[in-house]
Amino acid sequence: MSSPPSPSSNRWFKALRRTRLGEPCLRTYPLECVDLLRRARIAFQAGRTLKEGFRLAQLEAVVRMLEEHECDFVDALGRDLHKPRFETVVFELITVKNEALHAISNLKKWMEPQSVEKNLSTSLDECLVISEPLGVVFIMGTWCSPVQMCLVPLVGAIAAGNCALISPSEYTVHTAELLNRLIPFYLDNECFHVVLAGISDLPEIVELKFDHVFFTGNREDGSKIALAAARTLTPVTLILGGKNPCYVDQHCDIATTVQRIAWARFHNAGQSIMAPSYILCHTDVKARLVQALKCCLMQFYGPDPRESRSFGRMVNLEFFNRTRELLWRSGKVVVGGQVTEAEKYIGKNLHH
């Protein structure tokens, strides 16, 4: 069965947008995308990724890249999100590194055929499950965790013996440019490629036909990706945003509770899929909870979080304006509420 025709170049060029002055030019052009996919497909069909030694070398290269360019990643994420060094190292770099080291330690076992239980019809046979790679996968990262959400799926793809095209988020422009610059120096140049594209271009790239698609983002964009993948019967893995409420009952240890809530809510200035969307609490603990949260936020970020080196910024003005409008529509502000548009800064906010 032949592959479906590729989208026309005209449709792609309609989606091209000018890059704002002073930003790196984030764009992989249509014919480049087609060529990168073709090269990855040829490399996969040639069996380049099948051997254990190749996969181990690529996984070790990912670890080396993170270790040798830690400062570059800290700088890029600092410029994109005002992300503190601690958050970058712990939640972006170490997370990916641990994933890669886990894969390195278990790769031999994962690649071995697994014996399965026999039944009456297979009693005279040798029954094994052999894990085989899918082919070429497409990984679309997100801006709130731009390194982790690109490289953790990549580690899995490498360990499974796949080739991959990686598309970092266009919103974290410096991190995307860094990945685009580093990956060709560390990973195989035929099997792994970075695609620099806007979110509006991604569905048409998906239509080029991959063997699996990973997407992290909001529900609206995820629906478009799933629809595009369905046209070519491509399986997808979607991580989509949603609500994440937190409930505090009257028996909670308030001191521990507020530390966990404040850390999860204000990590990366609240731009995280694990951030609690809102708190539901028992009426008996409401006053104590609010007061404890005030004290905890003071302890974490000081009297003026804008001056704190541990507090991030919104990724761009679009998200800044959306968050500011939500804040103005949402009840009475108990703590914070300060905004500075020039810095894309929204202070820590607690309201009810």
Side-chain angles (χ1 to χ4, degrees), residues 333-350:
V333 176
V334 178
V335 176
Q338 304 87 357
V339 297
T340 306
E341 183 171 341
E343 295 183 23
K344 302 190 292 291
Y345 167 77
I346 295 182
K348 56 186 183 355
N349 297 283
L350 178 63

Side-chain angles (χ1 to χ4, degrees), residues 55 81 121 148 176 201 205 212 280:
R55 302 185 200 184
L81 289 160
S121 62
Q148 182 190 145
D201 304 326
I205 299 176
H212 198 93
L280 300 170

Side-chain angles (χ1 to χ4, degrees), residues 14 93 96 110 119 129 138 141 162 210 212 227 238 277 291 326 343:
K14 285 179 183 176
L93 306 185
V96 178
W110 292 344
N119 57 36
V129 173
F138 187 34
N162 298 296
F210 293 83
H212 198 93
L227 185 62
L238 301 175
S277 307
Q291 184 58 41
L326 284 172
E343 295 183 23

